[in-house]
Amino acid sequence: MSVVGFDFGTTNSLVSLVRGGRVINFFDDHGLPTPSVVCYEAGQVITGRAAKERLATAGLGVYGNVVRSPKVLLGNESVFVDGVERSVTDIVADFLKAVRKDATSKPARGLKDLDAAVVTIPVNFDGPRRVALRDAFRMAGIRIVQFVHEPLAALYGHMRAADDQKALLRRFDRQLVLVFDWGGGTLDLTLCRVEGGMLLQVANDGTDEVGGDVFDNALRNEVVRRVRAERGLGESVQPQPDAHARLLHRCERAKIDLSGRDRVQVYVDHFFRGVENDSLDLPLARDDLERIVGPLVDAGVARIRTLLEAAQVSPPQVALCLATGGMVNMPMIRSRLHELFGASRVHFASSGGAAIAEGAAWIAHDRAGLRLAKSVELLLARNSHLPLVKCGTQMPMEGEVCQDQWGLYCVDPRDGFAKMQLLSPMRPGPRAMPNDHRNVLGTMTIRVHPEARPFLERIQLSVEIDDDLILSARARSTMQGDTDTIEVHNLEFAVPLGGTESKPGTEPTIGSKDDQLHHAETPPRPPTEKGAVTIRANVADEILHSLVPGELWYKHHPEEFDTRREPPRIQVEERLYYQPCARCGRPINDPLCRCGSSRAAV
Amino acid sequence: MARTGPAGRDTSRFAAPAPRPKVPENLAAFVAYAYSRKGQRVALKKQTIASIGEGPPPADNFKSQIEQWSRADVLLAVPRQLLLAAMPHRSATKVWSMLLDVCLTALRAHPASADLAAHLLSPSTDDECDSVLEQAATANLGHLLDSGTGKPFATAKANALRSNLVHTAVTWLVAARGWKPRLAIASLHRHAWRGGISVPETLRALAEVKDPAPLLAVASAFVEDAQQQRRFAEDAHAREGAALVRLEELEAHASELAAKLAEQRAAYGALTERLATEQREHQNTVSHLKDDYERLRSRILRRLTRELELLDEGMLALRRDPPKVHVMADHGDRAIAGLRDEIRALQSEDSP
């Protein structure tokens, strides 16, 4: 049984298989990836290029009886296609069945059956959509062995297909690599770090606002506008019914040809209705094209800057920019990338639109299971961190779930809530430091008994990661019986190159509690990502009196504050600072308290 | 060992049938003479043999007379003497045959041997003779009554009767069925001469032996048997040695064959694996070539289709009124450029 790499793309899809040390791509009859388009016509399901030719406009979604890029509809229950309500999962399954049938119809190329695949997904593809995609694949008779992010797959394929893989690894070891995948439908960005034979995701970003189809659409609209302006045609002059589809096709062709020449003539016969000269005829120069699509290119390149800024990385720190996807053949985009990173550090993938599927095929061939790139930690009282899932943990494969449970204590139940926050260090790797920047993955709040003494209320925390790479955390207070659940969909992953095992130090163990970060002595609050809401966590995983706020601990154990016992300084300060006013009972720093000793002194 | 002496002769109750002539003139007279001897040795002289052979056949009541004499011979002592007397003259076939008939009639008439008599004619092999002798030695005589007292036999008489029965059977089997004396002695040793006596009694019995011939015969038989067994053992030992040598040779050969088999199996496994590898590589090569072909075919097809579309569109523009020559020129240029690019790509791929 062969496990293939399956790139179910927004605009195009491709199946690849590694056989005999070489990737075989299962293109359609035109030698191109299959367009991700489904058309329901006269009771028949038409997919691929034949369905795409029925489209008169760019963009994603449902147009009449044509569904373009059903992947973007995943997550919805159903859509109306030509007035008929259809399940999105069924639409995707219809397309996948056609791709599967097409790929297996050529047994001489080595694929007798297609029933298992490593499937690529965009970096912003959330959990419910992954679940729906798995269902659709199952309906099409294909098991998803594992998901992998598209840019990560492209990078893996690039590194794996190199002639001297070890030299490449040495060259980029401990360096940053930006994968820039600009396809027909989406722009996906992933900043990775090569470390110890592993490719670790540092930061991800993705958008479908500047896909290649948007370029074609913008070009088409501009061409029509200019022709109307030059010939003085008003809005009353309408185009032929299929004219827009034909013009879109010519614009796409013009965009490609302008990569190699300075000027082309855009011509569509019988474009307009009701005028003597019904053809559309317009000369288009490369400069015109760049002016038209320049804002889109700028928006795409700006995503790179945004991503790098968020990861606190400057462009010179990026050792390699791997550009894939059909759009990177545009000279304008190439020049922008050269300007940003320098020509020597930009590499345009030779396989173009097949790079992602090829990478997935290599991952399937090497059986390179995903690992967690960054630890998932729980913020504890006094800003210490309990590692819940360690960096390097092997992600579950098909049908697997890894899970563990922790017993926690509420150290300060006075407000009636136990507050927990899941964090992830911004820097990948096993050696996260207490002061490292961290991203907030989610916050849980459960009711606890406000009158309970510290450590009396216990909290059960269970964490699991399923084969859709969704982390679910559930907390329950034992006395109050309240529960809270969160799901984390945006984990970052690593993959060992060439199926190599990770270093012993990073051997995956979910649930290990012996991390050095655990309970550092009153560390300062670590910085978090911009805009993230941070909380003051009030849970601990062991009974340690110094974790309780001083004023609360003094309430229950005043004898502990005898100076001969050398109470913790922070608790003493807290007790003194939050000492309630003897008269009004308000905290001493409460502005409403007008009977405090300081005011009295004034 | 059972006693083989003349014990058991019952003289008190034995009634002589007739006055004993000096020389028996016919078979009846000889038989009568033998019974008159009450189990003592009798001899058959040449004159008697001639008389019996040339004389008239026995009278009709001769058989009943024999039966009567036999029943009177309580300890069955006479038939054995008749056989021993006739054995040296087996060449006189008629006399020998007649005396065998007499003995058989007597044995059938006697209650102790009536059952055994039926089996005396059938044995043809050594084992069958041995079986008949065992039957005689283990015959149940407890039901017989002493004709004198009307009670069961005393132990001494019962032993004498069993001894006479066994030795009569042995004599018959040796004389009439050609059983080898050596085997007969061995069979007697197994079945009849059971029980042991003390060393003094043994020495006494040996000292009192007047005629050592029987001992010599028995000893000779045992010696001969032992020698034969020794020969058998030596032969078996030699054959065992040869068999062991042969076994070692066969084991060595088997080991050699096993080693060859393992070698052949390993070679077969390697060949099978190599074949699988070759097949896999061949399939991979076929897949790669097919993939190359498909890539090239689809690329050329796509290029031709695209350029044809351009030229087709340019032709449409050219046919318009007025003709749009600039469109045709542009599309022609682009098509030609595209085809040139493809030709260059093909040429670069052709070069190694």
Side-chain angles (χ1 to χ4, degrees):
Chain A
M1 184 193 70
S2 301
V3 181
V4 302
F6 201 124
D7 173 20
F8 178 43
T10 307
T11 49
N12 295 304
S13 297
L14 181 61
V15 173
S16 295
L17 172 70
V18 173
R19 177 146 197 191
R22 180 180 138 175
V23 179
I24 295 175
N25 293 317
F26 292 84
F27 292 117
D28 67 0
D29 292 337
H30 292 74
L32 296 170
T34 307
S36 302
V37 185
V38 184
C39 175
Y40 294 93
E41 189 174 274
Q44 287 187 327
V45 180
I46 301 165
T47 58
R49 201 157 301 279
K52 185 185 176 185
E53 286 170 357
R54 287 162 167 78
L55 273 173
T57 182
L60 312 175
V62 182
Y63 298 90
N65 61 348
V66 180
V67 182
R68 181 166 201 176
S69 185
K71 187 168 83 166
V72 299
L73 302 175
L74 281 171
N76 301 321
E77 281 292 316
S78 61
V79 292
F80 283 89
V81 182
D82 205 18
V84 178
E85 186 176 13
R86 293 182 184 274
S87 161
V88 174
T89 311
D90 290 343
I91 295 171
V92 174
D94 286 339
F95 175 74
L96 296 175
K97 284 175 191 169
V99 173
R100 181 187 183 205
K101 184 180 176 185
D102 192 43
T104 54
S105 64
K106 298 158 185 169
R109 300 179 70 185
L111 188 61
K112 292 173 184 168
D113 196 9
L114 198 170
D115 59 356
V118 171
V119 176
T120 59
I121 51 174
V123 291
N124 57 353
F125 206 62
D126 59 21
R129 288 197 281 174
R130 285 179 220 160
V131 175
L133 184 60
R134 185 180 289 276
D135 287 343
F137 268 84
R138 191 180 299 120
M139 289 167 67
I142 304 172
R143 295 184 296 110
I144 294 180
V145 177
Q146 74 172 9
F147 287 115
V148 61
H149 284 159
E150 288 167 359
L152 189 61
L155 179 58
Y156 189 94
H158 171 71
M159 304 286 275
R160 188 65 175 76
D163 293 334
D164 193 348
Q165 186 180 321
K166 288 183 179 175
L168 199 64
L169 274 177
R170 277 198 301 274
R171 181 180 164 197
F172 292 112
D173 191 33
R174 308 181 71 81
Q175 306 251 27
L176 293 170
V177 177
L178 176 72
V179 184
F180 179 82
D181 174 29
W182 203 336
T186 58
L187 167 63
D188 280 331
L189 300 166
T190 287
L191 186 64
C192 294
R193 184 181 180 86
V194 182
E195 191 164 340
M198 301 267 286
L199 309 179
L200 299 102
Q201 282 180 300
V202 178
N204 299 317
D205 190 20
T207 178
D208 54 10
E209 295 170 0
V210 291
D213 292 340
V214 181
F215 281 56
D216 297 340
N217 225 23
L219 184 59
R220 185 198 64 177
N221 295 340
E222 180 62 19
V223 166
V224 174
R225 191 192 65 78
R226 287 189 184 186
V227 169
R228 284 182 183 274
E230 281 180 7
R231 293 170 56 182
L233 299 175
E235 292 300 320
S236 59
V237 179
Q238 290 296 313
Q240 298 285 348
D242 63 339
H244 273 144
R246 288 186 285 135
L247 177 58
L248 196 66
H249 182 62
R250 304 297 188 276
C251 288
E252 185 183 357
R253 175 68 196 267
K255 184 183 73 179
I256 294 169
D257 285 352
L258 282 173
S259 300
R261 50 195 298 133
D262 296 330
R263 191 181 192 85
V264 295
Q265 194 77 25
V266 179
Y267 179 77
V268 181
D269 205 30
H270 301 298
F271 185 83
F272 293 109
R273 284 186 296 182
V275 290
E276 187 179 352
N277 181 11
D278 60 355
S279 61
L280 183 146
D281 185 6
L282 182 75
L284 189 67
R286 186 191 289 179
D287 293 341
D288 295 331
L289 174 68
E290 291 181 353
R291 269 195 297 275
I292 294 167
V293 300
L296 297 173
V297 173
D298 291 341
V301 175
R303 303 293 292 218
I304 298 178
R305 296 185 186 279
T306 307
L307 177 78
L308 295 181
E309 282 175 13
Q312 298 178 335
V313 171
S314 62
Q317 288 179 273
V318 177
L320 172 69
C321 172
L322 177 64
T324 69
M327 292 301 296
V328 299
N329 291 322
M330 274 189 73
M332 187 180 185
I333 295 177
R334 289 189 172 219
S335 65
R336 293 293 174 86
L337 290 177
H338 284 159
E339 286 169 12
L340 193 59
F341 297 105
S344 61
R345 286 187 287 135
V346 179
H347 178 84
F348 297 98
S350 57
S351 48
I356 294 170
E358 289 183 1
W362 277 115
I363 290 173
H365 174 265
D366 295 341
R367 300 181 184 185
L370 286 185
R371 309 287 177 91
L372 197 64
K374 302 172 182 175
S375 300
V376 175
E377 301 169 344
L378 180 71
L379 181 62
L380 299 177
R382 299 213 185 280
N383 301 324
S384 58
H385 302 98
L386 171 67
L388 299 177
V389 190
K390 275 192 161 185
C391 165
T393 298
Q394 177 92 43
M395 290 294 100
M397 303 291 275
E398 181 191 13
E400 296 176 348
V401 174
C402 60
Q403 57 186 353
D404 204 351
Q405 289 189 339
W406 287 264
L408 305 172
Y409 305 93
C410 183
V411 300
D412 182 8
R414 285 175 295 175
D415 61 353
F417 292 98
K419 298 172 282 291
M420 290 157 284
Q421 201 161 46
L422 297 186
L423 303 174
S424 174
M426 291 184 75
R427 197 180 68 171
R431 290 175 292 278
M433 302 304 289
N435 291 338
D436 282 353
H437 285 70
R438 283 171 164 79
N439 294 325
V440 177
L441 300 177
T443 302
M444 285 184 290
T445 306
I446 54 174
R447 291 185 181 280
V448 294
H449 200 292
E451 301 299 328
R453 298 161 68 90
F455 303 109
L456 187 61
E457 181 88 62
R458 295 184 180 184
I459 297 159
Q460 291 179 338
L461 174 66
S462 60
V463 175
E464 69 172 38
I465 302 177
D466 62 15
D467 54 356
D468 291 319
L469 308 177
I470 300 171
L471 182 145
S472 305
R474 181 174 182 274
R476 179 176 177 276
S477 55
T478 53
M479 284 174 66
Q480 288 292 94
D482 190 23
T483 59
D484 194 8
T485 306
I486 58 167
E487 285 189 351
V488 180
H489 301 158
N490 55 343
L491 296 172
E492 277 120 356
F493 304 104
V495 59
L497 193 64
T500 53
E501 288 300 316
S502 61
K503 292 178 179 176
T506 60
E507 191 57 29
T509 48
I510 187 168
S512 297
K513 299 172 183 174
D514 53 354
D515 193 272
Q516 57 177 353
L517 302 178
H518 178 51
H519 277 304
E521 185 63 27
T522 320
R525 176 178 292 278
T528 54
E529 61 184 329
K530 286 180 182 175
V533 176
T534 56
I535 62 166
R536 186 171 67 87
N538 59 350
V539 295
D541 67 327
E542 63 179 337
I543 298 175
L544 196 61
H545 298 162
S546 61
L547 298 176
V548 183
E551 75 278 15
L552 179 61
W553 194 239
Y554 180 79
K555 179 181 173 186
H556 294 285
H557 296 278
E559 74 280 1
E560 296 282 341
F561 288 81
D562 188 331
T563 53
R564 288 170 295 183
R565 294 195 176 190
E566 295 182 353
R569 182 182 176 83
I570 181 70
Q571 282 187 315
V572 173
E573 290 176 354
E574 285 173 344
R575 182 184 76 82
L576 294 174
Y577 188 72
Y578 294 105
Q579 179 75 34
C581 175
R583 290 184 180 177
C584 64
R586 292 192 179 93
I588 199 166
N589 60 333
D590 191 334
L592 297 177
C593 174
R594 297 184 177 277
C595 45
S597 58
S598 58
R599 187 168 295 277
V602 172
Chain B
M1 181 182 290
R3 291 179 179 85
T4 56
R9 283 177 292 172
D10 187 1
T11 55
S12 61
R13 294 197 170 274
F14 190 80
R20 185 178 61 182
K22 283 188 176 178
V23 177
E25 295 176 348
N26 53 29
L27 182 63
F30 177 70
V31 174
Y33 166 70
Y35 273 98
S36 68
R37 295 280 292 169
K38 300 175 184 175
Q40 292 184 39
R41 180 182 292 186
V42 294
L44 191 59
K45 295 183 176 176
K46 288 184 180 177
Q47 188 180 352
T48 307
I49 292 170
S51 301
I52 294 171
E54 295 170 1
D60 294 340
N61 62 347
F62 180 58
K63 188 175 180 182
S64 60
Q65 201 168 11
I66 293 170
E67 291 171 353
Q68 187 180 350
W69 289 339
S70 177
R71 283 191 288 271
D73 180 15
V74 176
L75 298 182
L76 196 62
V78 177
R80 179 182 48 163
Q81 296 298 338
L82 285 172
L83 288 170
L84 290 171
M87 271 184 69
H89 308 288
R90 277 183 291 188
S91 56
T93 312
K94 183 178 178 183
V95 176
W96 172 243
S97 174
M98 291 170 74
L99 279 171
L100 286 180
D101 282 345
V102 168
C103 284
L104 193 60
T105 304
L107 289 173
R108 282 173 177 161
H110 196 280
S113 60
D115 294 339
L116 184 66
H119 299 287
L120 289 175
L121 294 173
S122 57
S124 58
T125 63
D126 294 342
D127 289 339
E128 288 172 353
C129 292
D130 183 72
S131 175
V132 170
L133 187 63
E134 184 184 9
Q135 186 180 350
T138 58
N140 182 16
L141 303 177
H143 64 284
L144 299 179
L145 299 177
D146 189 345
S147 59
T149 62
K151 295 179 180 176
F153 283 105
T155 305
K157 281 190 175 181
N159 288 339
L161 177 58
R162 184 177 301 279
S163 175
N164 288 338
L165 177 63
V166 168
H167 288 101
T168 301
V170 168
T171 308
W172 173 276
L173 292 171
V174 172
R177 306 306 301 177
W179 199 16
K180 292 178 182 175
R182 180 177 59 80
L183 298 177
I185 289 171
S187 186
L188 280 171
H189 175 246
R190 280 197 300 274
H191 302 305
W193 298 342
R194 63 173 69 92
I197 57 175
S198 62
V199 174
E201 283 184 36
T202 306
L203 291 174
R204 180 180 294 146
L206 287 173
E208 289 176 354
V209 167
K210 293 177 181 175
D211 184 5
L215 290 177
L216 183 61
V218 170
S220 300
F222 284 148
V223 167
E224 188 182 348
D225 190 49
Q227 287 174 344
Q228 188 173 6
Q229 294 297 330
R230 188 186 303 120
R231 283 195 298 275
F232 285 160
E234 288 172 355
D235 187 36
H237 186 67
R239 279 187 288 165
E240 183 193 12
L244 286 173
V245 172
R246 178 71 178 151
L247 178 64
E248 286 179 1
E249 290 175 357
L250 288 174
E251 283 178 349
H253 189 56
S255 301
E256 189 180 346
L257 288 176
K260 280 185 180 174
L261 183 63
E263 191 179 338
Q264 294 294 324
R265 276 185 179 155
Y268 173 73
L271 283 173
T272 306
E273 191 176 344
R274 188 176 162 192
L275 177 65
T277 306
E278 294 281 346
Q279 281 179 338
R280 200 164 47 244
E281 287 179 358
H282 174 70
Q283 287 173 354
N284 289 341
T285 305
V286 169
S287 300
H288 294 166
L289 291 174
K290 184 76 177 171
D291 185 51
D292 288 340
Y293 166 72
E294 286 287 338
R295 281 190 189 199
L296 184 64
R297 175 184 160 278
S298 58
R299 195 182 83 196
I300 299 293
L301 198 62
R302 190 170 68 247
R303 171 68 73 177
L304 291 176
T305 307
R306 286 172 59 177
E307 308 315 343
L308 188 66
E309 280 177 4
L310 270 182
L311 293 174
D312 199 24
E313 199 172 66
M315 288 302 292
L316 281 176
L318 202 59
R319 288 195 190 100
R320 291 187 68 89
D321 187 19
K324 293 181 179 287
V325 178
H326 65 284
V327 174
M328 180 63 208
D330 173 79
H331 286 20
D333 277 349
R334 288 161 65 186
I336 290 168
L339 290 172
R340 278 189 182 140
D341 288 346
E342 193 61 53
I343 289 168
R344 270 197 296 274
L346 285 172
Q347 284 173 338
S348 66
E349 288 169 10
D350 283 344
S351 59

